[in-house]
Amino acid sequence: MSEVIGNVNTVAPLTNVKLCMQALERAMNRDRHLPGLVCFYGPSGWGKSSAASYAYNKLGAYYVECRSTFTRKAFLAEILKELGIPPLKTIHDMFDQVIEVLGEGDVPLIIDEMDYLVDKNMVELVRDLFEGSQAPVLCIGEEGLPKKLAKWERFHGRILDWVPAESVTLADATHLANLYCAGLEIREDLLIRIHDLAAGSARRVCVNLALVEEEARKKGLTGIGLDEWGNRSFYTGDAPRRGKRHGK
Amino acid sequence: MRSLKRFTLNDVWLETNMHKRTISEFIRGLVKTGHLQVVEVVDNGKRFDASVYELVKSPRDTPRVRKDGSLVTQGRARLQMWRAMKVLKTFDARDLAIHATLEDLEVAESDVKYYLRYLYKAGYVSVISRGKGMGRGGVLSVYRLKPGKYTGPKAPMIQNVRHVYDPNLNEVVWPLKEVEYEQK
C-alpha cells in the first residue's frame, strides 16, 4: 500500500494504466524520424479502457471509439466531433480538416476498438492520418490485434511499440480494493483469493470486490478476510459489468 | 496566439481587440507556466510593444491561468467526468469518480451524482439499473451514456438557474422550451 501514496484516488498506479501512459509518452517524445504509432492490446476486462480514460484526461488527448458500422466517412466524422469542428461534405475535405488540427500540436489521438477498423479495411486511413499530421496515435484493440495487423505491412512497420496489456497483479487488486471499497479493510488472504480467481481480469476483481463489500455491509463488518467470507461462492464467469446484480 | 505563433502584445491586441490589461496579464501567466517564451526584447520606448513572444507549448485545452501562473481549475472536474463517461460508457457514480480523478484534481462521488442527475434529466444518460438506499448501505445506480449523446468535446454545464446548457450545441437542453414540449 505504501507505493500508492500521493495518488491514492486515481487509477494511475495500476499496471496497465502505467504501461499505457509510458507507451504514449514514448510516442510523444520520440525522435522526429521515428514513427509515432503505438499499439496497446489485450483481452477484454483487463483494464484497457480504464487506462484509456486516464490517458485521455491526463494528456488532454483526442479519443474516438470505433464501431462495427463505421465507414471511412463515419470514422472521420467521429474524429471531427471530438475535435469540435463541423464536418465538411466530402471524405477528402474531412480528412484535410482532421489533419490540419492534429498537425498543430503534439496532442495524441487514441483510437479504441481498433479491431473494427481492421475488419473494415480502414487501416490505411489511420496510417494516412498519422503520415499527414505526425500526431502520436495510440491504437487499442483486442488480444489478436497484432496478428490481424500483420497483413498490413505498411502499417505494421510503422508501429513504434507493441504493448500487451498485463494480467491484473496482486498490487493492482489491493489498489482496486482501496479505490472501490474505501473504508472497508479486506484482509490479504481474501484478496489473494480474489486475485487468483480473476485469471488476469481486472473487471472480475471489481465484481468480486463488490460482492465482498455487500457481504461485509450486511454483517456490519469493518474488516473482512477468508474466515468471515467462509465458502461463499465468487464470481468466476465473464461479467458484463462491475455487477452489483450479478453472481448471486 | 495559436495562429500568430510569434507575436507582441500589440499583435494580439489588434487581432482580438480585448482590453490591453487582460492581454498582458494572460500573457504574463502563460510565460510563467512555460507556454510562452520571450524571444526578443525591442527597446522602442513603447512598453506595450516591447517583447516578442513565441508559443512553445500548444496543448489541446487552452490553459486558463492567473497572472501569477497558477491554473484555474473551475469547470475541469465536469470536463474530466464528461471524458470518462465517453470512454467507460456504462458506469456508476463511483466508477466515474475514480476514473475522472487526476492527481491534481480529485472528483468527489457526490459531485458526480449531482452532475449525473442533471444529465439524466436532460436525456444524456439512461439508467441501466436503479440503485437503492443511501449512504453506506446503498447500492449505486448504473448509468449509461446514450449512444450518439456525446455531442462534442465540451462538457454540458449546469447553469446557476439549474438549466443544462450544452456548449457544443450552443443550446439549453433542459428544461425543454414549451414549444418543444407540445411537439413531443
Side-chain angles (χ1 to χ4, degrees):
Chain A
M1 263 198 258
S2 56
E3 63 184 343
V4 297
I5 288 171
N7 37 20
V8 189
N9 297 316
T10 71
V11 290
L14 299 174
T15 312
N16 283 330
V17 179
K18 273 194 255 174
L19 285 173
C20 180
M21 286 298 287
Q22 283 163 3
L24 259 172
E25 273 156 15
R26 271 198 298 277
M28 290 165 77
N29 303 324
R30 72 191 190 276
D31 282 336
R32 278 295 135 191
H33 62 275
L34 289 174
L37 288 159
V38 279
C39 189
F40 184 52
Y41 58 96
S44 82
W46 281 32
K48 297 191 302 291
S49 285
S50 280
S53 139
Y54 180 80
Y56 184 24
N57 264 322
K58 185 72 181 175
L59 303 171
Y62 301 114
Y63 174 92
V64 280
E65 192 209 4
C66 304
R67 269 167 291 169
S68 58
T69 53
F70 267 14
T71 58
R72 286 146 64 86
K73 193 166 193 172
F75 175 57
L76 289 171
E78 194 70 18
I79 299 181
L80 284 169
K81 191 192 250 186
E82 173 69 9
L83 303 180
I85 303 169
L88 291 173
K89 270 187 185 151
T90 66
I91 294 184
H92 180 78
D93 291 341
M94 286 161 78
F95 181 81
D96 286 348
Q97 282 182 297
V98 172
I99 292 294
E100 195 187 328
V101 180
L102 285 184
E104 262 173 20
D106 213 18
V107 181
L109 172 67
I110 302 175
I111 304 177
D112 205 349
E113 309 282 358
M114 178 74 182
D115 298 73
Y116 290 125
L117 291 190
V118 184
D119 297 343
K120 288 263 178 161
N121 295 333
M122 296 202 295
V123 174
E124 292 291 331
L125 182 55
V126 177
R127 188 182 71 90
D128 288 342
L129 280 178
F130 168 71
E131 292 291 327
S133 66
Q134 292 294 315
V137 178
L138 171 72
C139 304
I140 303 181
E142 294 295 313
E143 186 67 5
L145 185 62
K147 220 176 184 176
K148 276 193 196 171
L149 282 173
K151 268 205 304 183
W152 312 85
E153 203 186 309
R154 281 198 291 176
F155 185 84
H156 203 266
R158 272 183 179 73
I159 302 276
L160 176 68
D161 227 335
W162 297 95
V163 185
E166 280 187 18
S167 61
V168 68
T169 64
L170 188 57
D172 290 342
T174 312
H175 186 63
L176 286 169
N178 290 335
L179 285 177
Y180 280 97
C181 310
L184 174 69
E185 187 214 346
I186 300 178
R187 277 190 281 282
E188 203 174 350
D189 52 355
L190 187 56
L191 262 178
I192 290 174
R193 181 121 175 82
I194 291 177
H195 170 251
D196 289 345
L197 284 171
S201 161
R203 183 182 296 157
R204 218 174 282 172
V205 169
C206 288
V207 172
N208 282 326
L209 283 175
L211 290 178
V212 167
E213 196 192 18
E214 199 175 332
E215 183 63 26
R217 223 167 35 204
K218 265 190 227 157
K219 294 192 171 163
L221 302 170
T222 52
I224 186 164
L226 261 186
D227 290 341
E228 289 86 351
W229 182 256
N231 50 7
R232 281 180 193 79
S233 62
F234 277 110
Y235 198 78
T236 49
D238 258 351
R241 204 44 216 158
R242 195 166 96 77
K244 303 244 150 89
R245 304 196 309 168
H246 308 290
K248 275 206 280 185
Chain B
M1 291 185 205
R2 281 190 212 259
S3 52
L4 289 169
K5 301 262 182 344
R6 264 175 92 109
F7 48 84
T8 65
L9 293 180
N10 205 40
D11 296 332
V12 179
W13 180 66
L14 289 172
E15 285 285 325
T16 60
N17 206 12
M18 301 232 292
H19 203 283
K20 287 189 178 180
R21 180 86 171 260
T22 316
I23 297 174
S24 76
E25 281 177 359
F26 184 50
I27 287 187
R28 213 185 313 162
L30 288 178
V31 172
K32 290 231 169 81
T33 56
H35 288 90
L36 292 180
Q37 221 172 26
V38 183
V39 283
E40 208 183 325
V41 181
V42 194
D43 192 8
N44 55 6
K46 291 182 206 151
R47 257 182 60 216
F48 193 64
D49 212 10
S51 308
V52 182
Y53 297 90
E54 197 176 60
L55 191 60
V56 195
K57 282 193 281 181
S58 176
R60 171 181 188 182
D61 305 313
T62 305
R64 298 177 60 195
V65 291
R66 302 190 189 91
K67 58 186 165 185
D68 61 358
S70 59
L71 290 170
V72 181
T73 51
Q74 194 199 353
R76 258 189 54 205
R78 296 277 156 83
L79 180 62
Q80 286 170 204
M81 282 187 247
W82 182 237
R83 286 180 178 169
M85 269 184 242
K86 186 184 183 191
V87 181
L88 298 178
K89 287 173 287 293
T90 325
F91 44 81
D92 61 29
R94 189 169 305 163
D95 288 329
L96 202 53
I98 289 169
H99 285 91
T101 292
L102 291 182
E103 288 75 7
D104 58 341
L105 187 72
E106 184 170 345
V107 176
E109 207 172 298
S110 55
D111 194 19
V112 174
K113 283 182 183 164
Y114 179 78
Y115 192 42
L116 282 175
R117 202 152 59 227
Y118 278 91
L119 287 185
Y120 176 69
K121 286 178 184 176
Y124 283 80
V125 295
S126 51
V127 175
I128 290 185
S129 76
R130 194 163 290 284
K132 50 178 189 276
M134 288 173 80
R136 264 190 65 79
V139 176
L140 296 165
S141 296
V142 180
Y143 291 89
R144 190 168 71 110
L145 181 64
K146 286 189 192 169
K149 268 301 182 181
Y150 181 83
T151 47
K154 294 174 188 161
M157 300 187 279
I158 304 169
Q159 297 172 316
N160 278 343
V161 285
R162 301 281 155 93
H163 287 176
V164 182
Y165 168 76
D166 188 332
N168 301 300
L169 307 172
N170 191 18
E171 248 173 43
V172 172
V173 286
W174 182 86
L176 295 171
K177 291 189 203 90
E178 279 173 38
V179 195
E180 289 173 68
Y181 269 131
E182 282 162 21
Q183 282 169 352
K184 290 200 171 175

